[in-house]
Amino acid sequence: MTSDEPDREHPNGFDWSKYESEVADVADVVDLGAARARRDGTNADSHFDIPLDEEPERGGVLVDAPPADAKGRRPIIPTRLLGWQNFKATVRDIAEDALHRAGYHAVRAPWYAMQAGFWATVGLFKVVGRQLRWWWLSEQYGLRQAAADANDPATWYKLHREVKATRAWRGIVLAAETAALAIGGPVAYAMAPWWVTGLAAAGLVCGLARLGRPQDKPILRPAVVAGRYRRVNPDIILRAYYAAGLGHPDKPNQQVTFGSTMSRDASGSGSQVVIDLPYGKTWEHVLNAKGAIASGLDVSVNQVFLTRDPSSHRRHVLFVADRDPLAIPAGRTPLLDGKVRDIWTEAPFGLDERGRKVGLLLMWVSVMVGAQPRKGKTFATRLLALFAALDPYVRLIVVDGKMSPDWDKFRLVAHRMVFGTVPNSRDNDPVEHLLEVLREVKAHIQEVNDFLSSLSTVECPEGKITRELSRKYPQLAVWMLVMEEFQAYYELDSQEQNKEIAALLSYIMAVGPSAGVILLSSSQKPSGVGAGDVGRLFNRYRDNHAVRFALKCGNRVVSEAVLGGEAYSEGYDASALPSGPQYRGVGYLYGASDDTPTVRTYLADHTDAEKILTAARKHRQAAGTLSGAAIGETITRDLRDTLADVRSVFLAGENGLHWATIAARLADALPEHYADITADAISAQLRDRVPSVNVKVRGEVLRGARVSDVDTAIDRRKSA
């Protein structure tokens, strides 16, 4: 980087507006507490950043200058004082700091007093000792000893006379000081007001304590600890890239160059610069060298963020955070205020690596969340569902394949709830209930499309749901289907149920979003599920999610299954995300926008979720939109009498039929229930009541059922 600033219009077509927009787009209200927490790590009350590396003396290198516009000019009025909201926030911030300091020192005041008394006593002895050494002129001892050693009596006597005279004079001074203190002290104490005496005593004690205490043991400890960070500069960046093997400073055409001046980002949390690699080096090279670059910068790999530049395959943006931003929690969800939300607006999701708020527009999309267990997958999915719950016009359906207590409180608002894959205390037949739920969603999608086609182009010009239509017509309400650990429903014991669930989910995924059905899916096993048609439908369901959020994954294969194969080539590998309790809820949000931020999700624990859902239920009661399980309704199941249905397909005079014939006739007669029935499936359904025997029909002997056995089973059931 040279002292000459590059042209604003870079010859390679570098889009300055993309990177300077981060500086120009300053939020209307500055969150000082959050900004300070980002700046200082765990010390949320710290105000000062102390660089560990001093900036070198280099003329013309622009560093750490936070420009407010494209010309690098700072605002005349600081951002924190610009506007009434910012001014109030600044005053509040200063007041909170002052109160914190006052409280911190007030609590420790007795301990301060004890230390001051002790060190003041030490200081008093030090003062007396210094006075005595001053009187005795002890420093002359070395001169007299030198004269004696040199056998120079004249010099020795001369020094001796001088020291006696000096001691006499200084003794008189000390005597006068002692007399003044002994006489003047009591007189001043008796005549001076009490507050003067108190101030004088306090000043004396403080002065003696300062004199008496060691330099490395201050009495007052700071209430606010200054943050520390590693400052980067062009020399350090070049050192890092050359050490990573991305160029060579002395070889022709192998130098790393800069496409912009270095500057602080808008949040003040780090430094960024555009890097041009040598010709022949690519984006893939820099991705593979990320760890080596971090080592060369002498920072954690979690502080290095690389963003591809579309103008050139050898150009990218390097952002180096002052501290590890992913270890700083995003804080509690803003949904805790319990206010009504609108599904047609962005759901607050978390903060990105630079502390900017990340929102997610849920309409028209499906979202998949994938991760290892206990990395924040359920919390992230539930956070989006809580946002939908606060919109009283959204109908919620929650299906929890892992049967955890995380979703229990959604009973307050959910239209349907399904738990687990086997009968349990919360759901006596979850698989059948799920099938009915998915059929209900499918019927709703069909109804929405039919209803939209009946509306005039004046009312519905684009042929799709709008916010106004969803409020006007109840049948056009937005639905949200939550599938927690959805892979569990592709691995059931019954292959027929697996196939039907897979087919229904694939249909809902393909058609649902355009009909206002939002899907939230989460999985810790996003690959290797099912076989044959079930496996194919599982992959189609997984791959068709428009938005992906991947938290820490076990390996690259799982990461690609969650994010998609193209994400890895763009530098996003969820298996490389950091591990540890402080990184729970950290993941890549892919597909929601042109950027792929590394998001720290907001936190809503069980208590928070219950509070939000309680408020959501009140909103729905006021709007009159509670339905289904939330008001005690059970799923209406269309139960079929399989024995009677099988008996109905026997024609007069037929003593037996092959299972394949029975299945075909059921599919023709009752397609709404038996469209996909097979010979094996119908045989399995009747196995415990109707024996499967060899039946001869038109000279062909195959396994089937006799009409007499079917009639016997029906009679036995009636008499039971």
Side-chain angles (χ1 to χ4, degrees):
M1 184 180 295
T2 64
S3 60
D4 295 326
E5 183 175 343
D7 294 337
R8 309 310 291 180
E9 297 296 333
H10 195 274
N12 288 338
F14 169 60
D15 185 8
W16 272 87
S17 61
K18 176 181 178 181
Y19 302 107
E20 292 172 342
S21 62
E22 295 184 3
V23 178
D25 294 340
V26 179
D28 292 335
V29 179
V30 177
D31 189 346
L32 295 171
R36 186 157 24 114
R38 291 192 301 270
R39 188 177 66 239
D40 300 317
T42 56
N43 293 311
D45 294 313
S46 178
H47 287 291
F48 305 102
D49 288 334
I50 301 176
L52 297 178
D53 293 331
E54 293 300 326
E55 200 65 42
E57 294 290 334
R58 289 193 51 164
V61 177
L62 304 180
V63 293
D64 298 331
D69 57 23
K71 294 183 179 180
R73 295 176 298 197
R74 299 186 184 185
I76 296 174
I77 300 176
T79 303
R80 63 184 305 181
L81 299 177
L82 188 61
W84 176 239
Q85 295 295 331
N86 284 351
F87 181 80
K88 288 195 301 183
T90 299
V91 173
R92 182 173 61 250
D93 183 62
I94 295 173
E96 289 176 354
D97 285 344
L99 289 174
H100 174 78
R101 288 186 173 88
Y104 181 92
H105 293 303
V107 169
R108 292 161 178 78
W111 173 237
Y112 293 160
M114 292 176 59
Q115 290 188 83
F118 173 78
W119 292 118
T121 304
V122 174
L124 178 61
F125 280 101
K126 283 187 176 181
V127 169
V128 172
R130 289 181 181 181
Q131 289 286 79
L132 291 176
R133 287 194 298 273
W134 175 76
W135 166 53
W136 199 248
L137 201 63
S138 56
E139 62 269 22
Q140 202 202 53
Y141 174 79
L143 297 175
R144 287 184 281 124
Q145 184 62 47
D149 293 339
N151 196 19
D152 186 359
T155 302
W156 189 92
Y157 279 117
K158 180 181 178 181
L159 293 172
H160 181 66
R161 288 193 298 271
E162 289 179 356
V163 75
K164 288 177 62 179
T166 302
R167 286 174 179 172
W169 164 245
R170 293 185 178 183
I172 296 171
V173 173
L174 288 179
E177 287 180 359
T178 304
L181 289 174
I183 299 173
V187 172
Y189 178 79
M191 297 180 62
W194 65 270
W195 57 271
V196 173
T197 305
L199 288 176
L204 181 62
V205 171
C206 290
L208 291 174
R210 181 176 179 82
L211 178 64
R213 70 167 179 81
Q215 293 296 322
D216 61 341
K217 292 184 179 180
I219 296 175
L220 297 180
R221 298 284 182 176
V224 176
V225 180
R228 300 178 67 83
Y229 64 90
R230 177 86 51 198
R231 187 190 297 272
V232 295
N233 57 58
D235 288 338
I236 293 176
I237 291 176
L238 291 176
R239 178 191 70 187
Y241 274 73
Y242 291 143
L246 296 173
H248 196 282
D250 300 324
K251 292 182 179 180
N253 300 320
Q254 289 298 304
Q255 287 75 35
V256 174
T257 57
F258 297 92
S260 72
T261 54
M262 186 183 299
S263 65
R264 301 289 286 176
D265 70 324
S267 64
S269 60
S271 301
Q272 63 184 20
V273 67
V274 179
I275 302 291
D276 286 327
L277 296 174
Y279 294 104
K281 296 295 184 180
T282 65
W283 167 249
E284 288 73 21
H285 286 110
V286 77
L287 284 181
N288 295 331
K290 182 178 178 181
I293 293 172
S295 174
L297 295 171
D298 195 18
V299 297
S300 165
V301 70
N302 299 333
Q303 295 173 243
V304 177
F305 297 89
L306 305 167
T307 306
R308 174 189 284 183
D309 188 287
S311 66
S312 174
H313 199 51
R314 68 185 184 96
R315 166 171 288 191
H316 62 275
V317 178
L318 169 69
F319 172 71
V320 184
D322 295 338
R323 298 165 193 81
D324 182 358
L326 304 182
I328 304 173
R332 298 279 174 173
T333 174
L335 301 179
L336 281 170
D337 58 13
K339 295 180 180 179
V340 174
R341 294 312 200 273
D342 189 348
I343 197 66
W344 296 85
T345 62
E346 288 188 343
F349 196 48
L351 302 177
D352 69 3
E353 62 271 15
R354 305 196 189 188
R356 298 168 299 193
K357 295 180 180 179
V358 176
L360 182 57
L361 184 62
L362 296 173
M363 285 302 301
W364 319 120
V365 301
S366 50
V367 183
M368 186 171 79
V369 181
Q372 289 178 320
R374 293 174 297 281
K375 299 301 181 183
K377 176 179 74 278
T378 298
F379 276 51
T381 309
R382 189 173 64 183
L383 189 65
L384 297 175
L386 289 172
F387 175 80
L390 286 173
D391 185 338
Y393 297 97
V394 175
R395 179 165 288 188
L396 274 170
I397 297 175
V398 176
V399 180
D400 183 8
K402 68 177 183 181
M403 204 177 68
S404 68
D406 298 321
W407 297 91
D408 269 350
K409 295 304 178 181
F410 275 81
R411 294 181 185 275
L412 294 169
V413 297
H415 176 68
R416 300 290 182 223
M417 297 283 293
V418 178
F419 288 99
T421 59
V422 296
N424 56 80
S425 60
R426 287 179 286 175
D427 199 329
N428 60 353
D429 196 354
V431 175
E432 285 299 326
H433 289 167
L434 174 61
L435 286 168
E436 295 298 330
V437 164
L438 297 180
R439 292 168 189 151
E440 181 180 5
V441 176
K442 180 179 179 180
H444 166 72
I445 294 171
Q446 295 170 340
E447 180 185 6
V448 167
N449 290 330
D450 289 342
F451 188 83
L452 287 174
S453 64
S454 68
L455 297 177
S456 66
T457 56
V458 176
E459 189 173 16
C460 185
E462 297 183 7
K464 65 179 183 180
I465 298 175
T466 64
R467 184 183 185 280
E468 292 71 24
L469 290 175
S470 68
R471 298 291 195 264
K472 181 178 180 180
Y473 300 108
Q475 58 266 49
L476 297 182
V478 175
W479 286 33
M480 174 177 280
L481 172 61
V482 180
M483 296 293 299
E484 170 81 357
E485 299 294 359
F486 64 88
Q487 80 282 350
Y489 297 102
Y490 288 82
E491 299 178 309
L492 303 172
D493 294 334
S494 171
Q495 286 301 311
E496 294 304 315
Q497 290 177 327
N498 285 337
K499 290 180 180 179
E500 185 174 2
I501 291 173
L504 286 168
L505 284 175
S506 293
Y507 175 86
I508 294 170
M509 169 63 68
V511 187
S514 63
V517 176
I518 304 166
L519 283 92
L520 295 183
S521 308
S522 72
S523 175
Q524 60 177 297
K525 187 184 179 184
S527 62
V529 177
D533 287 341
V534 174
R536 176 180 58 82
L537 292 172
F538 174 85
N539 291 339
R540 185 184 356 175
Y541 177 80
R542 177 200 66 198
D543 295 340
N544 284 342
H545 285 82
V547 177
R548 322 291 186 85
F549 183 63
L551 299 103
K552 176 68 175 180
C553 294
N555 53 60
R556 173 183 164 183
V557 175
V558 177
S559 174
E560 289 184 347
V562 177
L563 294 175
E566 67 280 2
Y568 181 81
S569 64
E570 296 176 19
Y572 305 109
D573 180 5
S575 65
L577 287 170
S579 301
Q582 69 272 32
Y583 298 110
R584 288 175 184 164
V586 173
Y588 293 123
L589 183 61
Y590 189 84
S593 64
D594 293 338
D595 298 324
T596 301
T598 306
V599 180
R600 297 162 285 154
T601 57
Y602 291 122
L603 174 64
D605 58 19
H606 296 293
T607 303
D608 297 337
E610 183 176 4
K611 178 181 177 181
I612 294 169
L613 291 169
T614 301
R617 182 177 178 87
K618 293 180 180 178
H619 297 325
R620 291 169 183 260
Q621 288 173 336
T625 55
L626 281 175
S627 65
I631 56 175
E633 292 180 1
T634 57
I635 298 177
T636 301
R637 297 180 59 193
D638 187 6
L639 298 176
R640 297 300 307 170
D641 188 341
T642 308
L643 273 174
D645 291 341
V646 170
R647 182 64 182 85
S648 68
V649 302
F650 282 88
L651 302 179
E654 290 181 334
N655 296 322
L657 290 174
H658 300 151
W659 288 120
T661 304
I662 294 173
R665 290 183 179 182
L666 285 173
D668 291 338
L670 301 168
E672 67 274 19
H673 298 288
Y674 299 106
D676 299 322
I677 198 70
T678 63
D680 291 339
I682 191 62
S683 172
Q685 291 184 29
L686 299 181
R687 185 171 298 153
D688 57 341
R689 290 171 289 178
V690 177
S692 180
V693 297
N694 290 327
V695 176
K696 184 176 182 180
V697 178
R698 296 186 180 89
E700 185 178 11
V701 178
L702 295 172
R703 305 295 288 182
R706 296 191 183 97
V707 69
S708 58
D709 292 333
V710 176
D711 290 337
T712 300
I714 293 174
D715 293 339
R716 188 184 301 116
R717 186 179 61 186
K718 290 179 179 178
S719 61

